[in-house]
Amino acid sequence: MISSSATNPTEEQQHLPFWIIWHIWKSRNNLIFNKVSWELGSIIRKAKEDVLERNVAKTNQQQHVHASTNNTGTHITRWTPPPTRLVKVNVDGSFNYQNVCIGARWIVRDDSDNYCLAGSAQLKQAFSLLEAEGIALL
């Protein structure tokens, strides 16, 4: 018996192979240029994280709500589009205190909330979260 998910794959299942290929390419480049090897499990995990991040970004885009209040009264800030005919780049940095390395992620969207481009990088040598955020912005 064929399951319904095999005949009708979810959007996540449709996009995952492309993200895996992307991370295999990044792994190859990291091995060639930085002499750093990624394990297969790490590549798959990063691909799944990117699919989930894209889905969250897409969900936020579809809501078209700039700010609202949830049931507990907590203020929730939503993404706001850039002026007409411009794009907006949202950037975030992360910092690992144990091995003093940072991660950076970014997403580019146009004034109609359309996804244009996204990426991520793992970088080394930062000494605080604030520095990681600044390096991610660069």
Side-chain angles (χ1 to χ4, degrees):
M1 177 175 185
I2 299 174
S3 70
S4 63
S5 66
T7 57
N8 296 320
T10 65
E11 189 172 347
E12 179 178 315
Q13 291 168 330
Q14 291 173 351
H15 289 125
L16 185 59
F18 299 103
W19 283 106
I20 291 171
I21 292 168
W22 170 248
H23 282 286
I24 289 171
W25 177 258
K26 287 177 62 174
S27 172
R28 172 221 175 251
N29 287 346
N30 209 11
L31 180 62
I32 290 171
F33 298 113
N34 300 323
K35 308 290 187 254
V36 175
S37 177
W38 293 357
E39 293 185 14
L40 179 59
S42 175
I43 291 170
I44 302 296
R45 186 184 74 253
K46 289 176 185 191
K48 286 180 177 180
E49 288 172 359
D50 284 347
V51 169
L52 291 175
E53 183 177 328
R54 182 188 178 279
N55 288 344
V56 167
K58 185 176 178 185
T59 300
N60 287 342
Q61 288 176 355
Q62 292 171 346
Q63 290 179 353
H64 294 286
V65 177
H66 302 306
S68 63
T69 304
N70 66 14
N71 296 353
T72 62
T74 306
H75 182 71
I76 302 170
T77 303
R78 300 283 184 206
W79 182 82
T80 56
T84 304
R85 296 180 11 175
L86 294 177
V87 296
K88 185 174 187 179
V89 181
N90 292 99
V91 179
D92 189 28
S94 62
F95 179 69
N96 183 319
Y97 287 96
Q98 291 178 336
N99 58 11
V100 195
C101 72
I102 66 168
R105 291 184 182 255
W106 55 92
I107 184 168
V108 180
R109 293 182 273 187
D110 66 13
D111 60 320
S112 298
D113 290 351
N114 294 316
Y115 163 87
C116 300
L117 177 72
S120 64
Q122 183 174 349
L123 309 168
K124 302 247 187 238
Q125 295 297 46
F127 299 100
S128 70
L129 181 56
L130 182 60
E131 185 178 4
E133 294 279 350
I135 293 170
L137 184 58
L138 288 174

